[in-house]
Amino acid sequence: MQRTRTFGLLVLMALLVTVYTLTNSSRFHIIDEVSLFAVTESQALRGAIDTNAIAWTQWVNSPGEVLGAFGPEGDVYSKKGPAPAFLAVPWYLLFHIFTEFNISLGQLQATLLWNGVVTAVTAALLWLTARRLGYSDRTGMALGLLFGLATIAWPYANQFFGEPLSALSLLTLFYGLLTWRRSGDWWWMALAGVGAGVALATVAAHAVLILILVGWAALDWWLHRRLAPSEGMPKNNILQRLAPAAALAAPILLAAALLMLYNFVRFGNPFDTGYHFDAGEGFTNPLLSGLWGLLLSPYRGVFWHTPLFIASLAAFVPFAQRHRSEAALIALLSVALVTMYSLWWMWWGGFAWGPRFLTPLTPFWVLPLAIVIEPLTRQSASLAKKKQARLMHPSGAESEIASTLEEPPEADKRPSSMRSALVWLTGVLALFSFIVQLAAVSVNFVNYEIQLRSLYPTDWNDPLRYGPPAQSLTDFFNSPVFGQFKLMAQGFVVNSDLGWLWAEGEPPQTVVLWLVLLIGGAAVITLIGFLAVWWRMAAAPQRPTDSIAAPTFALVVLAPALVIATWAGEVGRQPHYGRKDVGYRAIIRDICRTVSPTDVFVNVAPNSYQIPMNWMPGECKIDIPTYGYALDSLRHPETERVMTRLSQQHDRIWFVTSGVQPNDPDNTLERWLADHAFKAIDTWYEDYRLVQYATGVRLGGVEERPINQALLGRRAEQVTILSVRSPSVALAGKPIPIEIRYRLEAPTDQNLRWFVQLLSGQNIPLALLDTGPDDNYTVFSALPAGENLIERAGVLVPENMPEGDYSLIAGLYNPDDEGARLVTIDGPDFVLLGAVRVVRQP
């Protein structure tokens, strides 16, 4: 029987993972997901915990969009609990291993499948929990399918939130406590402690739920402490009292200690979580408003988004009659979590599907339906047993043998009219719930959320007073539940939220990844076939179980793995992540070809953050820190502290902008780099620019070399090169920082420009830079005469340049005078800055 159950659990998880993969959008929906993913990426690639890759999210209109807080040195850290991000790291690295073998797949897109695995495991654990309460494996399977496909667990299995892990960890805590109560073995308490620790590290506020669960177990133990060991409770002695308590407490205390360490590393305070309570975040919402919104409102009401829970309410009374203690626990957990998030200032969870914060209760609300499903599964099992008996004993003795088979109690065999009505209610609501969730994952609910904002606009003068839309029953038909079907009517393909289906081009053309659909469909059909086989086997547990061969188990595991592999390899073609070798992806390709460990990547492309997240880990064999800012980020002191540190710790800065012209006055990052770094190249890739800067790191300890040569122009221009600082040794493939001190001897109205070149022994330019003064932020006619000025320039040494000695020269030319160069008194039209020896990187 154990082998049969294991097979069924594998089939359930494989089927759910396959369905979740096929319905995954392969993209983020709201910024909360990005914040968690940025932690996963930093931890997996660099062992860091910052979210600097999306630092631009710190300066947005609504406080609800500020997903992080600044550390002492200006770095940005997520305010989300770390457990979801950290536990996704192995999954991230699994796909990163494939990219190391030059297998092209989107790292971000593949990682987004993680919560599908978490939710599938939760469904399997729900099955096992039902077994602990005395229900059959068929009932457990049915509950797992209802949880996985007929509740909001399905949409959140396809998003990178922490709520799926909350559901799994809290259910693990309950399962561990429940099993310990029946077996008395301390290791079940250790499992419960792990669940509690993960729940605490996911959402610190879950401490309330953990206290309720632990208090429930303690009260139950106290009420039954006089029971004999044979009755399933531990002996009443000190050792057996302390061992389970210690096993439970140790993981919780460890999680609490790690959380405090995590906070200290980020903010220098073990109790600072990063939430902005002084800015309005907190439990400040009127209770009744939140209760209405989470439970009954058309906008976020849980019963609109999961109609199945109406059946759960109806089943709760008979469930409580059979399981008083567990029913009381579920009621307490529900009251606590619903009340807590009703008070939360943004109880609606931003752009989300349904009551996101109630997702952790989902498996607990499905569990009472076991009382409805069990009689059905027992009746079908009884019929299967009788049929088996007839086949085994065709002589007519089957009636006698069948009578010896286990039968359900009379009350279960003959359901009353009320029980029959409950069965029908559950079936109908399960179907409606399935349809609602299917609609939720088929088209992008964010598109309708945006439409709602036009119907119910936000007052951006006071975003904290923003009230979510579609709250009144008069807004019934504006509910997001109906909104999904409105989006389908507006255009299913253009609103598609399926990773294998999208519209592209003008006019929009439908793109279907048929390979994903074909393999995915075959896998679903195969797994449903395995499910039907298991269902028949579970009806007759006395049959030999060795008929389930090892290759069958392997095929069950292989089916979702094949779907995931196909999906991950194909969905990278989505235009949302750029086209290969074009635009931003071409920039990533070129960066990764020559990147080194001492580089850093800074970008001002907040609308394209997903492109480097998806492709850089696979393209680059060396993982470098990423900092994503907005145009005006340097108006904030935190950014300047970070940029100053980067210029002191890295010798090259790769800088990318999107849709911004060079020297845009609003681009504060580029302005700062012009004043502190040394531009070497500036290249357009469609609407994106790649600029490469050297920093002053290689000028450390380099003294100024006096030059004191004047350059004279045909229109009375006169500039004196006073001195230069440049390294005597340069690395092939790296930019050389060059700091030129000069003086404009007399005012000029000429538009002079600098050129800096690296010459071979035959005076052939091998690398050069052409720029205006102050990296083109000013012109010579605006420069003060008679003052010492500085021009910072960089020259990129070609990667294939042979080792040897080369010359650096600089000069000025006048584009308004046919490009005529200024000349020295001795005649040359350039100034020799010095020699530089080029070496290969070790």
Side-chain angles (χ1 to χ4, degrees):
M1 186 59 192
Q2 183 60 43
R3 188 178 178 88
T4 302
R5 182 176 302 129
T6 302
F7 178 67
L9 288 167
L10 285 176
V11 169
L12 171 64
M13 290 188 289
L15 179 59
L16 290 179
V17 168
T18 301
V19 171
Y20 295 156
T21 301
L22 292 175
T23 56
N24 195 292
S25 67
S26 82
R27 58 170 28 176
F28 295 124
H29 291 85
I30 68 173
I31 198 65
D32 299 55
E33 300 175 83
V34 188
S35 181
L36 277 174
F37 180 85
V39 179
T40 298
E41 180 183 60
S42 293
Q43 180 64 205
L45 298 181
R46 299 180 285 107
I49 55 176
D50 63 77
T51 58
N52 289 320
I54 55 166
W56 53 269
T57 59
Q58 292 303 106
W59 304 288
V60 289
N61 287 321
S62 170
E65 295 178 84
V66 180
L67 269 298
F70 292 108
E73 296 184 0
D75 296 291
V76 180
Y77 298 100
S78 175
K79 65 184 181 183
K80 299 294 183 180
F86 281 22
L87 292 179
V89 168
W91 183 258
Y92 184 104
L93 291 175
L94 172 65
F95 291 97
H96 193 50
I97 290 172
F98 288 103
T99 64
E100 293 292 326
F101 292 97
N102 295 322
I103 298 175
S104 179
L105 56 84
Q107 183 71 63
L108 185 160
Q109 294 171 295
T111 307
L112 289 181
L113 299 176
W114 167 242
N115 269 338
V117 177
V118 172
T119 305
V121 173
T122 307
L125 185 59
L126 179 60
W127 171 346
L128 296 177
T129 304
R131 284 286 306 168
R132 288 298 180 192
L133 292 177
Y135 295 97
S136 67
D137 284 315
R138 278 183 160 193
T139 298
M141 172 69 85
L143 292 177
L145 291 172
L146 286 174
F147 164 78
L149 299 175
T151 73
I152 55 174
W154 184 358
Y156 285 104
N158 293 343
Q159 299 172 42
F160 206 74
F161 288 109
E163 278 72 19
L165 185 61
S166 291
L168 175 59
S169 57
L170 291 171
L171 187 62
T172 301
L173 171 56
F174 175 58
Y175 179 75
L177 294 174
L178 186 66
T179 308
W180 170 80
R181 189 183 69 176
R182 295 176 178 242
S183 70
D185 296 324
W186 65 267
W187 49 83
W188 291 112
M189 288 293 264
L191 176 66
V194 170
V198 172
L200 184 65
T202 301
V203 178
H206 284 343
V208 175
L209 305 184
I210 295 170
L211 286 174
I212 291 174
L213 280 154
V214 173
W216 166 78
L219 178 62
D220 188 83
W221 174 85
W222 183 80
L223 291 174
H224 297 86
R225 70 188 188 281
R226 297 185 183 277
L227 291 179
S230 60
E231 293 180 75
M233 295 301 298
K235 292 180 180 179
N236 192 16
N237 59 52
I238 294 178
L239 179 61
Q240 291 202 344
R241 286 184 187 181
L242 294 180
L248 174 67
I252 300 176
L253 294 175
L254 177 62
L258 290 175
L259 266 180
M260 289 191 290
L261 176 62
Y262 180 65
N263 292 336
F264 181 80
V265 170
R266 295 184 299 163
F267 307 121
N269 183 344
F271 301 103
D272 188 348
T273 63
Y275 277 89
H276 309 279
F277 295 107
D278 55 344
E281 291 183 316
F283 298 95
T284 57
N285 187 64
L287 177 62
L288 293 180
S289 170
L291 288 174
W292 168 262
L294 288 174
L295 298 178
L296 300 172
S297 74
Y299 181 56
R300 285 290 186 261
V302 66
F303 298 108
W304 298 110
H305 290 83
T306 304
L308 178 66
F309 290 153
I310 298 174
S312 297
L313 277 180
F316 191 77
V317 172
F319 179 80
Q321 291 172 346
R322 182 171 175 179
H323 307 283
R324 288 187 180 181
S325 177
E326 291 80 8
L329 173 65
I330 292 173
L332 281 174
L333 291 174
S334 302
V335 170
L337 194 68
V338 172
T339 300
M340 182 165 57
Y341 280 113
S342 293
L343 294 171
W344 186 243
W345 76 282
M346 188 182 271
W347 57 264
W348 60 92
F351 278 26
W353 175 253
R356 170 162 69 98
F357 297 134
L358 300 188
T359 304
L361 291 175
T362 303
F364 294 95
W365 287 352
V366 172
L367 188 58
L369 294 174
I371 204 75
V372 180
I373 297 170
E374 181 72 3
L376 302 177
T377 59
R378 289 201 178 196
Q379 287 169 5
S380 60
S382 178
L383 292 174
K385 291 173 184 177
K386 291 177 180 179
K387 180 179 179 181
Q388 179 188 358
R390 286 195 298 269
L391 292 173
M392 294 175 64
H393 302 275
S395 62
E398 69 274 5
S399 60
E400 179 181 350
I401 294 173
S403 66
T404 65
L405 299 176
E406 180 184 358
E407 294 286 353
E410 189 68 22
D412 290 338
K413 284 176 59 179
R414 303 186 181 194
S416 65
S417 58
M418 183 177 296
R419 183 176 290 111
S420 179
L422 184 54
V423 169
W424 279 102
L425 177 68
T426 302
V428 171
L429 291 176
L431 178 60
F432 282 159
S433 282
F434 173 79
I435 293 172
V436 169
Q437 310 317 319
L438 183 61
V441 299
S442 296
V443 293
N444 191 349
F445 63 85
V446 172
N447 293 350
Y448 189 69
E449 288 276 353
I450 294 172
Q451 292 181 22
L452 283 178
R453 268 54 184 183
S454 64
L455 297 174
Y456 307 87
T458 297
D459 179 9
W460 289 115
N461 294 320
D462 189 2
L464 278 175
R465 295 186 58 191
Y466 166 69
Q471 278 288 82
S472 170
L473 285 179
T474 58
D475 302 316
F476 177 75
F477 289 106
N478 285 334
S479 168
V481 173
F482 293 102
Q484 294 301 98
F485 298 98
K486 292 179 183 179
L487 290 176
M488 293 180 189
Q490 294 168 10
F492 185 89
V493 176
V494 295
N495 288 301
S496 169
D497 207 29
L498 302 169
W500 48 266
L501 175 68
W502 67 85
E504 186 174 352
E506 280 296 334
Q509 300 293 318
T510 299
V511 177
V512 181
L513 302 180
W514 289 108
L515 184 61
V516 174
L517 204 55
L518 178 64
I519 293 179
V524 170
I525 293 171
T526 301
L527 291 169
I528 290 176
F530 283 138
L531 177 61
V533 170
W534 175 88
W535 192 265
R536 290 196 301 270
M537 294 175 61
Q542 72 279 5
R543 290 178 58 185
T545 58
D546 57 3
S547 58
I548 307 176
T552 304
F553 277 90
L555 185 57
V556 170
V557 175
L558 181 62
L562 183 59
V563 173
I564 289 172
T566 305
W567 183 92
E570 289 287 299
V571 295
R573 293 160 52 186
Q574 283 190 346
H576 180 62
Y577 293 98
R579 291 175 293 157
K580 187 175 182 180
D581 296 329
V582 176
Y584 209 161
R585 288 192 63 180
I587 288 176
I588 291 170
R589 176 202 64 201
D590 290 348
I591 290 176
C592 293
R593 283 176 178 172
T594 59
V595 70
S596 69
T598 55
D599 295 353
V600 65
F601 177 47
V602 179
N603 64 75
V604 179
N607 294 323
S608 303
Y609 63 88
Q610 75 280 359
I611 298 178
M613 280 183 168
N614 203 44
W615 300 114
M616 280 193 78
E619 292 275 357
C620 291
K621 301 307 179 184
I622 298 172
D623 301 308
I624 59 174
T626 298
Y627 294 79
Y629 287 110
L631 287 173
D632 63 348
S633 294
L634 250 298
R635 297 194 178 115
H636 306 277
E638 296 88 356
T639 308
E640 183 161 11
R641 286 201 296 271
V642 170
M643 293 301 298
T644 300
R645 187 181 76 238
L646 297 183
S647 67
Q648 295 170 350
Q649 295 179 348
H650 301 271
D651 65 359
R652 172 164 55 184
I653 297 175
W654 300 93
F655 183 63
V656 171
T657 66
S658 171
V660 182
Q661 291 299 314
N663 309 112
D664 188 312
D666 294 328
N667 192 346
T668 59
L669 266 293
E670 187 169 0
R671 172 74 260 194
W672 188 93
L673 288 166
D675 292 337
H676 298 87
F678 306 81
K679 181 194 287 186
I681 62 167
D682 189 338
T683 309
W684 281 95
Y685 296 72
E686 291 192 330
D687 200 34
Y688 296 89
R689 280 174 63 225
L690 172 62
V691 188
Q692 190 175 156
Y693 292 92
T695 70
V697 168
R698 296 194 179 275
L699 292 179
V702 176
E703 297 183 356
E704 290 187 32
R705 294 192 299 275
I707 301 294
N708 295 318
Q709 283 191 279
L711 290 168
L712 308 174
R714 296 188 298 191
R715 299 186 179 182
E717 310 97 315
Q718 183 174 351
V719 179
T720 301
I721 309 298
L722 302 172
S723 62
V724 65
R725 289 178 70 213
S726 63
S728 58
V729 177
L731 295 175
K734 285 273 193 173
I736 304 173
I738 304 165
E739 184 180 87
I740 302 172
R741 293 185 180 271
Y742 68 100
R743 183 173 59 243
L744 179 63
E745 299 296 350
T748 181
D749 59 357
Q750 299 301 301
N751 183 28
L752 304 179
R753 293 184 63 82
W754 289 97
F755 66 87
V756 183
Q757 297 178 354
L758 182 66
L759 302 180
S760 68
Q762 292 75 37
N763 292 329
I764 299 174
L766 302 175
L768 58 89
L769 174 74
D770 182 299
T771 183
D774 199 13
D775 193 13
N776 293 310
Y777 272 94
T778 188
V779 292
F780 263 87
S781 60
L783 293 177
E787 295 185 12
N788 292 350
L789 306 171
I790 296 177
E791 183 63 35
R792 294 176 179 85
V795 173
L796 179 62
V797 181
E799 189 177 16
N800 59 355
M801 180 173 283
E803 292 189 345
D805 294 322
Y806 299 87
S807 299
L808 276 174
I809 66 168
L812 292 162
Y813 71 95
N814 191 341
D816 298 328
D817 187 16
E818 299 178 347
R821 289 186 177 188
L822 279 67
V823 298
T824 65
I825 297 175
D826 297 331
D829 55 5
F830 63 86
V831 171
L832 179 65
L833 301 180
V836 60
R837 181 168 183 79
V838 172
V839 298
R840 310 294 298 177
Q841 296 193 56

